[in-house]
Amino acid sequence: MTWHVKFLDFGSPVRFVTLLFPLCLLISSSMVHAREGDSFYIVKQVIVHVPLGGDPAKNTSAIGLLEAQKIAFKHLMQKMLPVEERRTRHLFIKDIQKNIKDLLQRSIIVAERRTSRDIELAVNIHIDKEKIRQSFESADISFCETAYPTTLLLMDERLSASPMAKPLIHAFEKVADLYGFNLIQPLRDVEDLTNLSLADHPGQIHAFKNWAGTRYKTEKTWKISVSEPTVSEPTGDQSQDWIRLKLVEIGDEGVEYHFTRIAEKKLEEKAKGKDRLGEEEIMVLANRLITPWIAAHIVQPGTSNVLDVAVINSNNLDMLDGLIEKMKSFSGVEKVSFLEMSSNEVKLRLQYKGNEAEVKDQLKSLGAIDNGQGSELLINLP
């Protein structure tokens, strides 16, 4: 399989480096899920700092790459493995980590900035998709390859106009970076002002979801608001002002409500750029939403699944043969066989390992549509 890498321009020379090191740490990066046909995952914009003044015989770029690879592996595990697997299978995960150099394809230093104290590197890490799968399979570890849906992030007017808005948005952006999904903020133009209010009315939720999906290509919405007035509660020897945040999650599963408390002082300090406090609480809140998603989309290792595809106007045998060959080349597909045949229709059965959503996405690239018959899709040949 062939693939291409886009080199991003960040105003400094881009250097290509072959990966040679193991990994296991966490600082700041953004996961991008493998696109259809890609043979790798990319953990983008891993930021590392290498202190100056160390051993001059050591290569600072090599040290930075080692750190970046550790971070990338940690982020990949956070995104792909359910909490239960990370907790109970940590010894197997460590074994995979020890041989991670064999799972890596390459890294690209996309930016470098020097200060008087250190060198800051931004690195894109490419991790081999099939080898990661095989490692999980060999250790009998369940994993998830389905990206959390693109999500629209909304704030009520009171919150968006307050000093808390900026640190809260930053905290949610860090969540999206860690778990590798797109977080969209509304344009707030005339169309938005007309339609965003639909989310506040239970009878209009379906209309709101359709509108948001059409305009922003989102499948979920997170709406943040302050759920009640500030209250004082004792914390240690001092009194602290707390804000109770409400997150309304709107998706195909309906509407759900989640709550968390954040110290008002923490958010104010974050807004002034004095501290990073408040992000921990938002991460805990988001974990309540994302963890069930990962658990619901795991791939059980060693299991094969089937997906049926009905092909209409299949009397063009050359076109049908070409279609079948493309299906056989899809990632995860092990076998394509004939299930039923008639004068104008053929039903094919795809046997695959891995994620159903990924196989369906690849079929949709051939024009397949969901006809509402469970696991069966439909392709109309011209």
Side-chain angles (χ1 to χ4, degrees):
M1 181 180 296
T2 59
W3 48 272
H4 304 277
V5 178
K6 287 187 177 180
F7 291 83
L8 305 180
D9 183 7
F10 284 84
S12 62
V14 176
R15 289 186 286 160
F16 169 90
V17 185
T18 302
L19 297 183
L20 298 173
F21 308 100
L23 17 126
C24 167
L25 184 48
L26 173 64
I27 301 180
S28 168
S29 68
S30 174
M31 168 68 72
V32 175
H33 296 270
R35 297 167 302 182
E36 180 186 322
D38 282 347
S39 62
F40 53 82
Y41 296 104
I42 309 175
V43 184
K44 298 183 71 176
Q45 287 292 290
V46 180
I47 306 298
V48 294
H49 293 85
V50 183
L52 295 175
D55 187 347
K58 292 185 177 180
N59 186 309
T60 55
S61 294
I63 295 172
L65 285 172
L66 176 59
E67 289 286 286
Q69 293 157 18
K70 291 177 179 179
I71 295 166
F73 184 74
K74 176 93 176 203
H75 278 212
L76 192 65
M77 298 304 98
Q78 183 88 9
K79 178 263 165 190
M80 295 188 71
L81 301 186
V83 173
E84 185 68 18
E85 293 284 34
R86 296 203 305 269
R87 182 171 61 248
T88 61
R89 310 301 301 280
H90 62 278
L91 293 178
F92 289 96
I93 295 169
K94 281 187 176 181
D95 286 340
I96 295 172
Q97 176 185 314
K98 290 176 183 177
N99 299 311
I100 194 64
K101 65 181 181 180
D102 298 328
L103 307 179
L104 306 176
Q105 289 192 356
R106 64 188 66 192
S107 68
I108 303 170
I109 298 177
V110 295
E112 179 178 316
R113 185 173 65 88
R114 292 176 178 263
T115 69
S116 58
R117 296 188 301 174
D118 61 22
I119 299 176
E120 179 185 278
L121 300 176
V123 188
N124 290 354
I125 307 292
H126 294 65
I127 303 175
D128 191 283
K129 183 177 178 181
E130 191 57 38
K131 288 181 179 180
I132 284 287
R133 284 176 174 170
Q134 292 172 2
S135 296
F136 290 154
E137 292 265 351
S138 65
D140 197 33
I141 294 175
S142 300
F143 58 95
C144 171
E145 288 188 302
T146 305
Y148 191 80
T150 300
T151 300
L152 182 65
L153 180 65
L154 305 178
M155 287 189 178
D156 68 4
E157 292 185 9
R158 172 189 168 191
L159 193 55
S160 62
S162 74
M164 296 182 291
K166 185 176 180 181
L168 282 175
I169 290 173
H170 180 75
F172 278 103
E173 287 175 341
K174 291 198 72 172
V175 169
D177 283 347
L178 178 61
Y179 284 103
F181 66 95
N182 293 325
L183 194 66
I184 307 295
Q185 295 182 54
L187 298 174
R188 294 198 173 275
D189 56 10
V190 174
E191 182 178 347
D192 278 0
L193 294 176
T194 302
N195 291 280
L196 289 177
S197 60
L198 297 175
D200 298 325
H201 304 288
Q204 298 294 326
I205 291 298
H206 184 70
F208 169 78
K209 287 193 300 182
N210 288 341
W211 171 80
T214 300
R215 181 162 212 212
Y216 290 109
K217 311 302 179 187
T218 55
E219 298 176 50
K220 285 185 178 289
T221 297
W222 292 353
K223 184 168 185 179
I224 316 298
S225 62
V226 177
S227 68
E228 60 187 32
T230 302
V231 295
S232 294
E233 297 184 6
T235 51
D237 297 330
Q238 297 179 342
S239 178
Q240 175 68 287
D241 288 333
W242 292 88
I243 292 173
R244 190 167 183 252
L245 290 180
K246 178 173 72 173
L247 188 155
V248 181
E249 180 188 18
I250 303 172
D252 291 338
E253 303 81 9
V255 179
E256 296 186 16
Y257 300 88
H258 308 268
F259 299 88
T260 191
R261 292 189 315 162
I262 295 183
E264 185 174 19
K265 183 179 179 181
K266 288 183 178 183
L267 285 171
E268 290 175 350
E269 289 174 347
K270 173 65 181 175
K272 295 175 183 177
K274 293 182 178 180
D275 212 326
R276 299 173 57 139
L277 299 173
E279 294 178 356
E280 296 88 351
E281 294 92 336
I282 295 302
M283 184 63 72
V284 171
L285 176 64
N287 282 342
R288 296 180 206 158
L289 287 70
I290 297 173
T291 297
W293 172 271
I294 293 175
H297 292 81
I298 59 173
V299 175
Q300 298 291 343
T303 59
S304 291
N305 303 288
V306 295
L307 190 65
D308 294 340
V309 181
V311 182
I312 309 298
N313 296 330
S314 56
N315 49 358
N316 187 327
L317 297 182
D318 289 338
M319 187 174 291
L320 180 62
D321 287 343
L323 192 70
I324 293 173
E325 288 303 312
K326 289 180 180 178
M327 292 178 182
K328 289 180 178 179
S329 70
F330 284 165
S331 176
V333 172
E334 298 179 315
K335 183 180 179 181
V336 180
S337 56
F338 289 92
L339 194 62
E340 297 177 8
M341 297 185 68
S342 67
S343 60
N344 197 41
E345 179 179 344
V346 169
K347 184 174 288 186
L348 303 174
R349 171 156 289 177
L350 279 68
Q351 185 175 326
Y352 66 93
K353 282 187 178 179
N355 186 271
E356 179 180 307
E358 182 181 1
V359 177
K360 282 187 174 181
D361 285 343
Q362 294 176 97
L363 287 168
K364 288 176 182 177
S365 71
L366 300 180
I369 59 173
D370 191 338
N371 63 4
Q373 300 298 316
S375 61
E376 184 176 286
L377 278 75
L378 176 70
I379 294 178
N380 246 313
L381 292 180

